[in-house]
Amino acid sequence: MKKALTFLLITMVLLGLVHSSASAAGECNSYREATRIWWDGVELKKGQIGRLNIEKDTLLFKLDGNKRITSRTLKKGEFYRIYAFKPGMLSVGGGYYVDRDARVTYETPSKAKLKGAECIHNRFVNLGSQIHNTIAITGAAGYAPDGTALMYVLLQGEPAKFVAIDIVRNKVWDEKTLNGATSAWAISADTSGNVWIGGTPNGHLYHYNSKTKTLSDKGRAAAKGTSIHDLEAAGAGVVFGSSSPNGGVFKYETGKGFTDLGQVLSGKTLARSLAYNEENNTLFAGVGAKAQLVAWNLTTNKKQSILPGKYQGETSVYDLDEENGLLFAKLEPSKKILVFDSRTFAFKEEIPASSRGVSQVNADEDSVYYSHGYALRKYNLSSGKTSSIPGTLKGTEAVSIDLIDLKHKDYPGGSVIALLGNSGTYLLYNTAKNELQINKLNLPNQSIPIYNIERGPRGQIISNGFVSGQVSTYNPQTKETKELLKIGQAESMATLNDKLYLGVYPGADVYEYDPSQPVSGGKLPPLFSIGNGQDRIVAMAADETTRSLFMGTHPKNGETGGALAVYNPASNSKTIRRNIVPEQSVVSLASSGGYIYGGTTIFSNGKNESQKTAVFFRLNSKNPNGKIEQIPLPLTKPRMIHSLAAAPDGTIWGLSDGNLFAYDPRTKKTKTMNITPATSGRFKNGTLVIGKDGMVYGTVEENLFMANPKTMKKTIYTGAAASDITMDNSGNVYFKDGAELWMFR
């Protein structure tokens, strides 16, 4: 047996499966291509600690306390795996034992084999949720069956949650989990106790009945929709919804199900907002980008664009409300609400406004409420005059705003309730007493989905939260997670000069975090903004030759084409090149040998995206304004180069539409292999890292894979929905699955 083991180890060394010196953190590197561990020709199973040979017939039994219950007799010559033992007994699994005596022979595998089996059978280590917070996306007002006034709040999380709050008592009245959704942007409540909720990214419609406190999932609203942006209740059991990326509108009727009403406007993929005028059966739909506002007569199916030309350069019509014959349309990004006659569609005026929309009408004052300039304001429907309510909203604006009778002696008549920002802060203003209160809702904490991970300064693993913007760090040595700061949703991160740089959406802002310096209040000011019509810094690479940070960006809605930006911290100099590849965005970057290698995507808001091909290029890092060198790829019309990584030998590895490629700058030759048949999405759907063991690791379509550069053989690992990838200083590989950080052994 010793000779066989020696031969096996020699063979494994020759195959590159065992390294003579492996750190404690990288002990499993040797087994990453293996799927089984063999022990004298027999597979070593999960949990197995040894084996049993029957030398003489012996009894197999179970234990009932101290009593033995005989099952059968094991015969001489039989073989069994051992998983545990008790004093004087050996377990063969399933709760069965034999006596450990002269009738049996017990053998144990080597420590190396046990370690190999542990690595193979326990490849994935769940490090748990990294970010916890209360992120209130939006809300609506309603009533419990006994008349209790409720605020319905949608919380981001893994999964998202629906919470009903007793407004007067500021106490959770009910809460439900929105299974399958990590966020929910849309909510609409009717007078019959029905609440409709639109989930993201599953695009499901949910229904909550406040009378029975039950939540039901009505299913996916649109075949090609992933986000429901707005919902408009239109009578008992009927709701309209708008979605993206199909730019469509749907109708749901209780008992009948979904009806696809089609795209609002041809070529418009973002149906942002809805309002409904029951009197003339007209649905108003706001779209982007660029902005349009459509009056859609559902009786005749006639559509009419009613947005004045001077506003059509806006990104979108972000929110719509129809109140007493007036239509209020909130623009994005301008802080304006446009007022229309909802019967004739005539434009009346614009008012400065920052809130997502307006409240219901206060009949006593013939007014609606909204927020602007961190103050609550009201608009008189008859006169068109606006006025401000005394008091401050403390640096926030309303993301939802309603007028409701709290049915409480301390709050006579109508009261305005509004969510302020996304932290769970709320406004309560009683119109009769002219009293304004700002407070925090008692909302439950949630595990927040991780949006991005990266190796940061000192080898720690940095996690950034989706929407919430929190940044946490996991220390591989102490195995502790700590919250660092809150800055916004980081599309990309990179480490340079022992500092962490983050590209934050929206606005393509760059932040610099120095771990040696304290952060006041957990918040950092932005270092600078890319500008030039850019919104997302989707790629970052630190160039050691020039000690500069290279960044690839994606444009705002309504803009066309991305940019390549370069920042040198020492000189505080910036170079920004818009449309370095015309009408494409730079979505992947890698630094190697004095060059910056880049990859683009055709999805950059251009008109002829389907006719274009993504570009793989390089640029001398010392001359960022120089001419780029396009490098041909042996791929058929690639749409996107998701990720790039530079190996120590100078080879540039990349992912494009599920294909892995390796470009050798010395020979100018490229070899490829397919990882997955197809990919979805416009970016963030493929990541790569070069392992310390020389292997190439990556994620694509929630698959974790490894490729051997010498054999170009791939191994797909199952066990978790893996996306994003990074590596610590010891060679451990990390990825995210929802709110959880995972380590791959």
Side-chain angles (χ1 to χ4, degrees):
M1 185 170 68
K2 288 183 178 180
K3 288 183 179 180
L5 177 59
T6 301
F7 176 78
L8 176 62
L9 288 172
I10 292 173
T11 303
M12 292 175 71
V13 169
L14 291 174
L15 290 174
L17 296 178
V18 172
H19 294 273
S20 58
S21 61
S23 67
E27 288 178 341
C28 290
N29 286 350
S30 305
Y31 304 97
R32 286 183 176 170
E33 283 190 292
T35 57
R36 296 179 180 182
I37 295 294
W38 298 99
W39 181 20
D40 289 348
V42 179
E43 183 182 357
L44 194 58
K45 294 287 188 178
K46 183 177 182 178
Q48 183 183 349
I49 61 172
R51 64 188 177 196
L52 180 72
N53 292 308
I54 307 300
E55 304 295 340
K56 295 181 180 179
D57 291 359
T58 189
L59 295 177
L60 179 70
F61 56 87
K62 278 192 171 186
L63 295 174
D64 183 4
N66 293 323
K67 182 181 178 181
R68 296 186 178 195
I69 301 174
T70 301
S71 173
R72 63 186 177 89
T73 299
L74 303 184
K75 299 297 184 180
K76 177 182 178 180
E78 292 179 344
F79 156 85
Y80 295 92
R81 294 182 173 89
I82 298 300
Y83 296 92
F85 57 83
K86 290 179 178 289
M89 293 178 283
L90 295 169
S91 168
V92 297
Y96 290 96
Y97 292 86
V98 297
D99 284 318
R100 188 173 183 176
D101 55 24
R103 289 170 292 182
V104 301
T105 301
Y106 175 59
E107 297 176 298
T108 58
S110 67
K111 290 183 179 179
K113 287 191 177 294
L114 287 173
K115 182 62 184 178
E118 181 187 354
C119 290
I120 287 174
H121 298 306
N122 300 285
R123 292 191 188 276
F124 299 100
V125 180
N126 188 348
L127 303 175
S129 299
Q130 300 295 295
I131 298 171
H132 301 85
N133 205 345
T134 300
I135 306 298
I137 301 298
T138 189
Y143 293 103
D146 64 357
T148 299
L150 302 174
M151 179 185 277
Y152 304 115
V153 182
L154 301 180
L155 298 181
Q156 179 204 6
E158 186 69 32
K161 187 169 284 188
F162 166 85
V163 180
I165 296 280
D166 180 331
I167 300 170
V168 174
R169 295 176 180 82
N170 193 6
K171 182 179 179 181
V172 174
W173 184 79
D174 194 17
E175 60 181 278
K176 301 294 183 185
T177 296
L178 303 177
N179 291 319
T182 59
S183 190
W185 304 107
I187 187 168
S188 183
D190 65 21
T191 57
S192 302
N194 296 299
V195 186
W196 302 96
I197 304 156
T200 295
N202 60 355
H204 280 219
L205 177 69
Y206 302 86
H207 172 254
Y208 177 77
N209 188 323
S210 64
K211 295 177 181 177
T212 59
K213 286 190 172 183
T214 56
L215 179 83
S216 56
D217 184 347
K218 300 303 180 183
R220 191 164 186 168
K224 295 182 179 179
T226 59
S227 294
I228 298 174
H229 291 284
D230 202 6
L231 290 167
E232 182 74 6
V238 179
V239 65
F240 294 100
S242 62
S243 61
S244 70
N246 58 325
V249 172
F250 64 86
K251 179 181 180 181
Y252 179 85
E253 296 178 84
T254 301
K256 295 182 180 179
F258 292 102
T259 301
D260 184 357
L261 301 182
Q263 198 171 37
V264 178
L265 289 174
S266 177
K268 296 288 187 178
T269 60
L270 176 60
R272 173 67 78 179
S273 54
L274 294 175
Y276 179 64
N277 184 306
E278 186 177 2
E279 182 183 335
N280 54 22
N281 196 25
T282 296
L283 185 69
F284 297 95
V287 300
K290 305 282 187 170
Q292 276 291 351
L293 176 57
V294 173
W296 189 344
N297 188 305
L298 298 179
T299 303
T300 64
N301 202 34
K302 180 183 177 181
K303 299 176 185 178
Q304 181 180 343
S305 295
I306 65 173
L307 187 67
K310 67 177 182 178
Y311 300 113
Q312 293 179 14
E314 298 283 343
T315 299
S316 76
V317 176
Y318 194 74
D319 193 89
L320 287 171
D321 295 287
E322 200 279 340
E323 296 295 334
N324 285 23
L326 292 180
L327 178 69
F328 297 87
K330 174 66 172 68
L331 297 176
E332 176 198 16
S334 292
K335 295 179 179 180
K336 298 174 183 176
I337 285 180
L338 308 183
V339 185
F340 298 81
D341 186 310
S342 63
R343 299 179 182 91
T344 66
F345 314 147
F347 172 65
K348 294 175 68 67
E349 61 181 319
E350 71 172 57
I351 56 176
S354 302
S355 57
R356 275 199 59 177
V358 302
S359 73
Q360 295 85 356
V361 175
N362 182 347
D364 294 337
E365 299 176 332
D366 194 29
S367 297
V368 294
Y369 292 83
Y370 62 99
S371 77
H372 184 61
Y374 310 137
L376 181 65
R377 301 180 65 85
K378 64 180 177 180
Y379 172 87
N380 186 278
L381 275 62
S382 299
S383 68
K385 292 182 179 180
T386 63
S387 56
S388 183
I389 307 301
T392 176
L393 305 189
K394 300 181 179 180
T396 55
E397 303 287 359
V399 297
S400 75
I401 186 164
D402 289 277
L403 184 80
I404 188 172
D405 185 351
L406 298 181
K407 300 182 179 181
H408 191 277
K409 61 182 178 62
D410 293 336
Y411 303 95
S415 292
V416 179
I417 60 168
L419 274 177
L420 301 177
N422 299 119
S423 65
T425 302
Y426 76 103
L427 167 157
L428 196 162
Y429 170 69
N430 183 257
T431 60
K433 297 172 72 173
N434 196 28
E435 290 181 353
L436 177 69
Q437 303 173 33
I438 307 294
N439 209 337
K440 273 273 196 178
L441 291 171
N442 290 315
L443 295 167
N445 229 10
Q446 291 280 90
S447 294
I448 303 300
I450 300 172
Y451 188 69
N452 212 345
I453 62 171
E454 185 59 77
R455 178 172 60 186
R458 305 172 183 175
Q460 302 201 18
I461 305 302
I462 307 296
S463 298
N464 174 258
F466 176 61
V467 179
S468 70
Q470 282 180 282
V471 179
S472 295
T473 177
Y474 172 77
N475 188 318
Q477 281 71 47
T478 65
K479 297 179 173 52
E480 292 179 328
T481 297
K482 293 182 179 179
E483 182 181 330
L484 285 182
L485 51 121
K486 185 175 181 179
I487 57 165
Q489 182 174 295
E491 299 287 332
S492 58
M493 297 183 280
T495 299
L496 178 66
N497 303 327
D498 295 323
K499 296 178 181 178
L500 179 70
Y501 291 88
L502 306 99
V504 174
Y505 164 84
D509 292 329
V510 179
Y511 286 76
E512 179 187 77
Y513 168 67
D514 185 346
S516 67
Q517 300 296 321
V519 179
S520 177
K523 293 183 178 180
L524 283 175
L527 193 63
F528 63 91
S529 179
I530 299 295
N532 290 270
Q534 303 304 294
D535 216 18
R536 301 176 188 262
I537 303 172
V538 291
M540 278 190 177
D543 180 60
E544 297 298 328
T545 302
T546 61
R547 310 301 294 174
S548 296
L549 184 70
F550 284 74
M551 294 166 280
T553 69
H554 189 273
K556 296 178 180 179
N557 287 330
E559 297 282 346
T560 302
L564 179 70
V566 188
Y567 171 64
N568 186 291
S571 63
N572 196 31
S573 61
K574 308 176 195 64
T575 301
I576 299 172
R577 296 180 63 179
R578 181 80 183 270
N579 271 313
I580 190 168
V581 176
E583 295 193 358
Q584 296 196 26
S585 296
V586 179
V587 293
S588 54
L589 292 167
S591 170
S592 180
Y595 287 92
I596 288 294
Y597 291 83
T600 70
T601 175
I602 65 172
F603 303 118
S604 299
N605 302 335
K607 293 182 179 179
N608 301 309
E609 291 178 344
S610 63
Q611 300 173 21
K612 297 182 182 297
T613 299
V615 173
F616 176 44
F617 69 89
R618 73 176 185 177
L619 176 72
N620 190 313
S621 63
K622 293 181 180 179
N623 185 19
N625 284 313
K627 184 179 180 180
I628 67 169
E629 174 190 348
Q630 293 195 17
I631 303 169
L633 291 174
L635 299 172
T636 303
K637 208 172 177 60
R639 302 176 308 153
M640 178 176 8
I641 298 171
H642 308 269
S643 181
L644 294 171
D649 66 357
T651 301
I652 306 300
W653 291 85
L655 265 176
S656 176
D657 300 339
N659 298 299
L660 182 68
F661 66 84
Y663 170 72
D664 188 336
R666 296 160 298 186
T667 63
K668 298 189 182 300
K669 292 183 178 179
T670 305
K671 52 186 179 180
T672 67
M673 65 183 297
N674 180 258
I675 303 297
T676 188
T679 56
S680 57
R682 296 188 168 217
F683 44 81
K684 284 189 71 65
N685 194 13
T687 50
L688 290 173
V689 68
I690 310 299
K692 288 208 166 188
D693 56 359
M695 301 295 180
V696 179
Y697 296 91
T699 65
V700 63
E701 289 293 320
E702 297 189 335
N703 290 316
L704 176 69
F705 70 88
M706 183 190 73
N708 187 320
K710 295 180 180 179
T711 64
M712 288 299 280
K713 176 186 175 183
K714 69 180 178 183
T715 304
I716 306 292
Y717 300 103
T718 58
S723 59
D724 282 358
I725 199 166
T726 191
M727 182 178 65
D728 65 20
N729 291 342
S730 299
N732 281 316
V733 173
Y734 297 80
F735 62 87
K736 68 179 177 69
D737 179 2
E740 296 170 335
L741 181 68
W742 289 70
M743 182 176 71
F744 175 70
R745 293 156 53 89

